[in-house]
Amino acid sequence: MKPAVDTGKHFINGDIACAEGAIAAGCLFFGGYPITPATEVAEHMSERLPHVGGTYIQMEDEIAAMTSILGGAWTGKKTMTATSGPGFSLMMETVGLAIVTETPCVVVNVQRGGPSTGLPTQGAQADMMQAKWGSHGDYEIIALAPSSPQEMFDLTITAFNLSEKYRTPVFIMSDEIVGHMSEKVVIPKKEAIKTISRIQPRGKKNNFHPFKPGPNGVAPMPSIGQGYKVHVTGLTHDEKGYPVMSVDTQAEMMERLLGKIRNNLDDIIMTDQYLLDDADIVIVSYGVSSRTSYTAVDMAREQGIKAGLLRLITVWPFPDRLIKELALRVKGFITVEINMGQISREVERCAGYKAPSYLAGHPGGAVVPPEQVISIMKEAF
Amino acid sequence: MGSPAVKKEVPVPHPLEDLVRMERIPHIWCSGCGTGSVFTACLTAMKNTGINYDDFAMVSGIGCSGRGAGYINIDSFHTTHGRAIPFATGIKMARPETNVIVFSGDGDLFAIGGNHFIHAARRNMDITVICVNNFIYGMTGGQAAATTPHEAKSSTSMGGNPESPFNLPLLAYAAGATYVARWTMLHSRDLADSIEEAINHKGFSFVEALSPCPINYGRRNKQKPLDTLREYHANTIIKNNADPGELGIDFKQKVILGKFVDIEKPSHDEQYHRLYHETSTKS
Ligand code: SF4
């Protein structure tokens, strides 16, 4: 039996680091379904959860896996599932239910090449827009992009913290390369790990309003069995949780759901900036692509080009303001990602007519080589 | 002297009032609909178990009967179409002390949700599934379902249903359910008793409740609300322990009601606990 926080230096792959991060964050329930290249997350969770009194269940498909973690979350536990593209598509239905019922949970997508069955064993970053818009209706989502096994550990904890704080599903948008690469992962002492749990209601249980926001725009969340007698529905509902089919209720609910993310951007958005202060050309990247992007910046600097890197650790919500500010002072942007233009469109949208924006993309199966970034840089600027 | 004392009528609260979200009444169910009777049987059964209401949770999917979760005054969840069972599974496995009841319809549980049903039965997941079987998709206006009788009319089979319906008790039994019963909403006492047994049963329990949808099934199939009830009375027989293979529904012959399966077998949460929690604390 290992403790929840397996303090020490480890040489493990990203998937396993992610599972260790979940256990360290206090995850106690995992609904799994095998899929390459995310299977190791489920396997490791099935082994580790019983050590900490938690539960693993292998569901019949990804719809069920995702739905089971919502049920689990309403018992007061922190819950998670992990998948890759085809499973992520199936989960989208329940992602919407998680958003509208304000159910905290963490969903890991170890991305592989698509569309459809695609390249099961090779990496891609082509589900980034699906993460934002894959479920029907309007919503805000939180998505983090780890670029190393260490970050798979660290950001999984962050994902749980954000999900508990904002009562919302949080995506970890990893990829096959980060999921399957083994590197040194340092797991700190338990005391050094900051974990957040949802705010529980206090006081009178009669006529409780489980969707009435507190000061930060988020409602305290009761658990099954506490006597609050909550009603939770996927229909448009009021603060009591009761369905109300009215334009006004829809507007109020949407304002609450969008507001709790949009009004807390500074708390949610994390970036890493490398040589950005004096940069003329900004490389925007995230996840595994940011690793080759650091190299591209160094190569450009060696050749006298003032390049810098803006690495998105939080991809959704998107750092609009930061890109807009940069657009006022730089020559332009190059977005490096393993898809044919997804986040690059967001950069283009924010840069507007202030600065040009280019894509250094890849159809999937390998990383974008730094040389490709340099040649686009030279051609464009 | 004042006028003679007038006896003031104090309204007697309904015996199940504490289990109903009274502020949400009137409900949406049509007059003549059987769903309310099945719902009442379910509440009666819950009350009769004597279990603290806070130790229950109800989960519904989408459809007319799926609205049940919205009227019961306990922790209740109205989920997405077909997904009540995996939601219930998550609750049960994360908090095994909860008595989880899935209250939903035939379309929800057996078409879009069919895969979840058979797997929860196979696992002997300790939940109680109550299916209000009205042979049709009621909420959307009467389209053919996985339970619509062969040749019956629906809004998508006006020339008669070319398909054949599921025999639900057989399906449940074959998949591994350890408690299986069928009643009609007219047999309210038997139905409530059966649901009570199903709740107390450790393992996957399934109760099918035949229930009229006069609006979207009856109308097209020339059945007035009372005709259906007459059929439930005249053309059914009670045959406990009947062979699940003989339970196909054909009102031209007798439809068999009763308790068909009641097997003792460790439930999924018990097995998981034994294999994982007990051993991991030992090692
Ligand atoms: S449509 Fe049918 S099942 Fe639905 S409430 Fe009306 S009568 Fe009942």
Side-chain angles (χ1 to χ4, degrees), chain B:
Chain B
M1 294 291 282
S3 54
V6 180
K7 222 177 151 196
K8 236 191 171 173
E9 287 242 1
V10 184
V12 185
H14 189 279
L16 296 171
E17 211 175 280
D18 50 347
L19 265 173
V20 177
R21 297 182 191 269
M22 292 306 288
E23 68 273 31
R24 295 215 58 224
I25 302 300
H27 55 69
I28 63 156
W29 296 316
C30 310
S31 58
C33 177
T35 308
S37 306
V38 184
F39 190 63
T40 305
C42 177
L43 302 190
T44 308
M46 288 170 63
K47 197 181 181 105
N48 290 347
T49 61
I51 297 168
N52 184 334
Y53 294 155
D54 291 341
D55 290 327
F56 279 104
M58 181 178 276
V59 188
S60 290
I62 299 296
C64 296
S65 39
R67 293 301 180 99
Y71 300 127
I72 192 167
N73 194 23
I74 60 168
D75 291 325
S76 56
F77 301 86
H78 179 226
T79 63
T80 44
H81 197 17
R83 316 301 172 212
I85 288 177
F87 197 100
T89 297
I91 296 174
K92 186 70 201 180
M93 291 310 290
R95 190 177 185 276
E97 61 268 39
T98 320
N99 294 277
V100 191
I101 298 175
V102 170
F103 188 90
S104 219
D106 47 304
D108 186 75
L109 290 167
F110 291 100
I112 189 165
N115 196 35
H116 308 310
F117 180 89
I118 57 174
H119 286 278
R122 174 182 61 79
R123 295 182 184 109
N124 200 24
M125 186 58 60
D126 184 24
I127 60 176
T128 299
V129 177
I130 299 165
C131 173
V132 181
N133 183 0
N134 58 11
F135 308 121
I136 206 83
Y137 287 98
M139 176 73 85
T140 45
Q143 298 74 34
T147 45
T148 304
H150 182 56
E151 295 193 2
K153 290 200 166 102
S154 76
S155 74
T156 51
S157 64
M158 288 306 282
N161 182 19
E163 301 180 16
S164 298
F166 272 133
N167 167 348
L168 298 181
L170 174 63
L171 179 69
Y173 170 70
T178 47
Y179 182 99
V180 180
R182 173 197 281 156
W183 298 99
T184 81
M185 45 65 77
L186 195 65
H187 299 77
S188 52
R189 201 38 167 314
D190 299 300
L191 179 60
D193 289 349
S194 199
I195 295 173
E196 186 185 341
E197 251 185 26
I199 292 168
N200 286 323
H201 176 82
K202 187 80 194 152
F204 188 86
S205 51
F206 173 61
V207 180
E208 178 185 17
L210 306 183
S211 171
C213 169
I215 304 301
N216 284 319
Y217 183 81
R219 254 187 330 154
R220 285 197 185 88
N221 290 285
K222 305 214 167 28
Q223 273 184 12
K224 299 224 169 66
L226 278 180
D227 298 342
T228 314
L229 299 192
R230 229 171 266 130
E231 219 169 35
Y232 285 177
H233 178 67
N235 290 354
T236 54
I237 50 163
I238 297 170
K239 205 169 143 191
N240 290 321
N241 302 315
D243 175 0
E246 290 169 7
L247 298 173
I249 291 177
D250 180 359
F251 277 102
K252 288 186 207 103
Q253 295 164 19
K254 296 270 182 190
V255 171
I256 301 172
L257 311 176
K259 178 170 81 175
F260 313 120
V261 180
D262 192 351
I263 305 169
E264 257 183 60
K265 189 183 162 191
S267 64
H268 183 87
D269 61 295
E270 288 174 332
Q271 299 279 31
Y272 187 84
H273 185 70
R274 179 177 65 82
L275 289 169
Y276 289 89
H277 290 149
E278 284 174 2
T279 46
S280 64
T281 40
K282 269 183 238 144
S283 67

